[in-house]
Amino acid sequence: MIIAAIADSAPGTGNDTTIRRIAAHFSSVGHEVRLVEASALPEALADGVGGLSFDAAIVTHAVAAGEIRRSLNIPYILVFGGTDLNEFSLDPAHLGVMTEAVAGADALVAFNDDFVLRCLALWPDTIGKLYSIPQAVDTDPSDFSLKNRLGLPDDSKVFLLPAGLRPVKDPLFLTGCVDEWHREDPRVRLVIAGVSYDGFEEILRRRCLRHSGVHYAGALNRRDLHAAMREATAVLNTSISECSPNAVLEAMHLGTPVIARDIPGNTCLVADGITGLLFHSPDEFRRQAQRLLEDRSLAATLAGNARRMIDSRHSLPAEAAAYTQLLQHMASRSVHA
């Protein structure tokens, strides 16, 4: 088959990582896959890319899928992202487009049981085409050093927050807490790394100027980000809502402890005290982070448990097999129809 993989997010973001990984699964079993920018829809699919006409598409954004639904008669798989069901579903205009996209999809994919239930609550009649496929992860660290890039002392305790700079990721949530802690213990640093949206970078840079223990590393490429995760004392997630955050999975795969905000999308991956640590407030974050600094055996235990969980539930081969089977099933149904 010739498949269009719809890239709807900036390079290095979770959605971009996800669509490229799934596209690689399809390519590995002989399908021809082309990445198509969502901004080019629907003309790119109508005209083809490089002289190709597409047999099917896969998309990780329900609003982008709505463009396919409205313009083309092409089978597609819709993979729900966190923004879809956590944020856009609350807006009537977006919900209308999403409902069209869901109705037109040949298959729907949710990463966990929480999102399966959210989808069914919104669209009960999707039960026959809704599949739960846990998100897989792979990592490939470079020889990059975040401490060297930022000029941090070797003994720095870096708490790394990989996050797009936008309100739903709440990247400023811990800045005041860490600044106070840094004044008591200069080793403690918060480093935020990610793509900026809507001028948020300027706000963060002003915060960094006021708080000597807070740093912004910009948007790191994927391999450098993995290296930064491996170098960090812990990887953080401060989001207000999530689905199955790639950064948490990647940190677990690399053996770096995770400290995450206690929200459903994170608790699907992080079991407090078992595969990571959870917090509700900045003060609770500090208590949890202090535990890691004082008890390195805890860090080793969390990292080991998390890696075993990744290997058993989030492996690349399992994800590849699930998507390949889904595509075969979808193609078979189209032939019969």
Side-chain angles (χ1 to χ4, degrees):
M1 297 178 69
I2 303 174
I3 302 168
I6 311 302
D8 68 283
S9 301
T13 58
N15 271 2
D16 187 69
T17 297
T18 297
I19 196 67
R20 290 174 186 273
R21 191 182 63 251
I22 297 171
H25 294 329
F26 292 149
S27 295
S28 69
V29 293
H31 299 294
E32 185 162 357
V33 184
R34 296 292 181 93
L35 285 173
V36 177
E37 296 294 332
S39 59
L41 293 175
E43 291 81 5
L45 294 185
D47 299 337
V49 175
L52 297 177
S53 59
F54 293 99
D55 301 308
I58 182 163
V59 59
T60 58
H61 194 299
V63 175
E67 295 292 338
I68 302 174
R69 165 69 169 168
R70 289 173 172 178
S71 307
L72 299 169
N73 183 23
I74 179 175
Y76 62 89
I77 300 170
L78 170 56
V79 181
F80 286 114
T83 305
D84 284 334
L85 297 182
N86 288 328
E87 306 297 328
F88 286 163
S89 64
L90 304 178
D91 178 79
H94 280 132
L95 181 60
V97 175
M98 290 170 63
T99 298
E100 289 184 31
V102 167
D106 288 68
L108 305 166
V109 175
F111 292 141
N112 52 49
D113 291 343
D114 176 53
F115 261 45
V116 167
L117 294 175
R118 290 181 188 223
C119 178
L120 290 174
L122 288 167
W123 305 289
D125 59 348
T126 61
I127 193 166
K129 61 180 181 180
L130 176 61
Y131 300 83
S132 178
I133 302 177
Q135 183 154 238
V137 59
D138 71 348
T139 55
D140 182 24
S142 68
D143 59 2
F144 171 82
S145 171
L146 185 63
K147 290 181 181 179
N148 288 346
R149 162 76 71 85
L150 298 176
L152 302 181
D154 289 340
D155 66 348
S156 296
K157 303 300 180 183
V158 173
F159 294 93
L160 176 64
L161 174 58
L165 303 187
R166 52 195 177 114
V168 71
K169 299 297 183 180
D170 207 5
L172 305 181
F173 186 59
L174 300 176
T175 54
C177 164
V178 172
D179 179 59
E180 181 180 347
W181 189 9
H182 171 75
R183 281 187 263 116
E184 299 171 20
D185 183 350
R187 299 175 305 161
V188 172
R189 309 277 180 157
L190 171 64
V191 178
I192 301 170
V195 177
S196 177
Y197 298 84
D198 302 327
F200 215 104
E201 182 176 341
E202 289 305 311
I203 299 172
L204 177 56
R205 288 191 183 279
R206 289 196 296 271
R207 190 70 61 94
C208 291
L209 289 174
R210 295 204 308 270
H211 299 327
S212 58
V214 179
H215 309 268
Y216 176 50
L220 302 177
N221 70 54
R222 189 165 181 265
R223 295 190 65 220
D224 288 352
L225 180 59
H226 292 166
M229 288 180 176
R230 190 170 58 181
E231 189 180 21
T233 299
V235 169
L236 312 183
N237 182 291
T238 59
S239 296
I240 296 169
S241 65
E242 280 287 5
C243 172
S244 178
N246 274 287
V248 169
L249 290 167
E250 288 165 349
M252 289 176 164
H253 191 257
L254 289 163
T256 301
V258 171
I259 309 178
R261 199 166 183 165
D262 191 348
I263 58 171
N266 286 336
T267 55
C268 288
L269 302 175
V270 181
D272 190 42
I274 300 174
T275 58
L277 299 173
L278 296 171
F279 64 90
H280 290 92
S281 66
D283 287 343
E284 189 173 10
F285 158 75
R286 178 169 174 174
R287 287 194 297 272
Q288 295 283 48
Q290 191 77 53
R291 290 175 63 194
L292 280 184
L293 297 187
E294 294 172 353
D295 184 358
R296 295 311 295 170
S297 65
L298 172 62
T301 298
L302 296 176
N305 290 340
R307 181 56 195 255
R308 284 187 287 274
M309 187 267 288
I310 292 293
D311 290 343
S312 65
R313 290 171 44 192
H314 298 274
S315 73
L316 279 174
E319 184 187 57
Y323 277 101
T324 300
Q325 184 177 21
L326 177 56
L327 190 63
Q328 291 171 342
H329 180 60
M330 191 174 83
S332 174
R333 285 192 306 180
S334 295
V335 168
H336 287 306

